[in-house]
Amino acid sequence: MGLLLPLLLLPLTTTALTLPVNTTLLHPWQITRLSTHSPSGRPGTHPYSRLSFAIADPNTIVLSGPTPGSSGNDVGFPPSAANCTVWWMTHGEDPREGGWENTCEENLAEGMRGKWSFRVVEGSGEAGRGVTTDFGLSVTLEEAVVLGTGGVVSLKFEGEAAFKVGAGEEGNMGGSCGGSGVCNWGLKQESVPVLVKQTLVGMECVTGTCEEE
């Protein structure tokens, strides 16, 4: 069950603000699956590398009580989850360069509840700076909802996590490379889930009145 976290609605503008909202009770996001693949480079094969992961937000954030005339549900953001993947040409491309922003696909049947996106960033450099073996993920979740006042409020959260292939406690990923040169890596069982501490970086009133009288 998600955590019920009431937020204090203050006068907002369309400019991103730093508000006295208590987010210390939020549970971290959870990365429950992550894998990378790099090809062999042999004739007849396709030279694409891949990074994919699954992430979930277990929190329920309540902004206000039920909207008049509604079925009685609170207004806010329920838990959500997404599957994220990026492909790139192994020769000449690097997803850590050029500011690539990749969107994710939400895996909830109820419909779109938020926009998950991510960037691949530099890792520790201790595993040879390999983009499939030593890297970081910068993840963003943007959510918006129509309030009982008719106004639309938007929240933006960001969080980062690091991943590295290594023996023992040196890394949270393991795997192998075949004789053909194909390499596949993934999260070690003891490292699941990877917790991602998120930070509220933006809260704005997109349109209308976002204050409750």
Side-chain angles (χ1 to χ4, degrees):
M1 179 178 294
L3 174 69
L4 295 178
L5 180 67
L7 297 183
L8 178 63
L9 283 182
L10 298 179
L12 305 176
T13 69
T14 54
T15 302
L17 300 174
T18 301
L19 299 175
V21 175
N22 181 12
T23 59
T24 58
L25 297 179
L26 284 175
H27 294 303
W29 295 337
Q30 299 178 3
I31 292 180
T32 56
R33 174 183 55 79
L34 180 142
S35 63
T36 65
H37 167 85
S38 56
S40 67
R42 288 186 172 183
T45 62
H46 299 282
Y48 294 102
S49 294
R50 183 196 73 246
L51 185 159
S52 64
F53 64 96
I55 189 168
D57 177 7
N59 299 286
T60 296
I61 300 176
V62 177
L63 296 178
S64 66
T67 303
S70 70
S71 59
N73 295 324
D74 291 326
V75 176
F77 306 108
S80 66
N83 295 314
C84 310
T85 302
V86 58
W87 295 78
W88 65 95
M89 181 76 73
T90 303
H91 306 285
E93 291 185 325
D94 189 325
R96 296 168 295 188
E97 300 173 354
W100 291 19
E101 182 175 354
N102 310 282
T103 56
C104 305
E105 179 180 352
E106 280 215 305
N107 57 17
L108 292 179
E110 290 83 353
M112 192 69 175
R113 290 179 170 174
K115 177 187 176 183
W116 289 92
S117 60
F118 71 98
R119 292 181 297 110
V120 184
V121 297
E122 292 287 352
S124 67
E126 298 172 357
R129 198 180 174 270
V131 67
T132 60
T133 57
D134 187 353
F135 57 91
L137 291 175
S138 177
V139 184
T140 300
L141 173 59
E142 298 177 78
E143 301 179 287
V145 70
V146 180
L147 302 173
T149 61
V152 176
V153 66
S154 173
L155 273 64
K156 181 178 181 179
F157 294 90
E158 292 181 349
E160 290 193 6
F163 302 89
K164 184 177 67 172
V165 172
E169 297 181 357
E170 293 299 316
N172 53 9
M173 295 176 64
S176 63
C177 294
S180 65
V182 173
C183 296
N184 292 288
W185 309 100
L187 285 179
K188 297 177 181 177
Q189 185 175 359
E190 61 269 26
S191 298
V192 178
V194 173
L195 301 182
V196 182
K197 180 58 180 177
Q198 71 275 46
T199 302
L200 178 63
V201 297
M203 184 175 183
E204 62 180 280
C205 186
V206 179
T207 186
T209 300
C210 296
E211 296 178 76
E212 290 188 328
E213 298 181 357

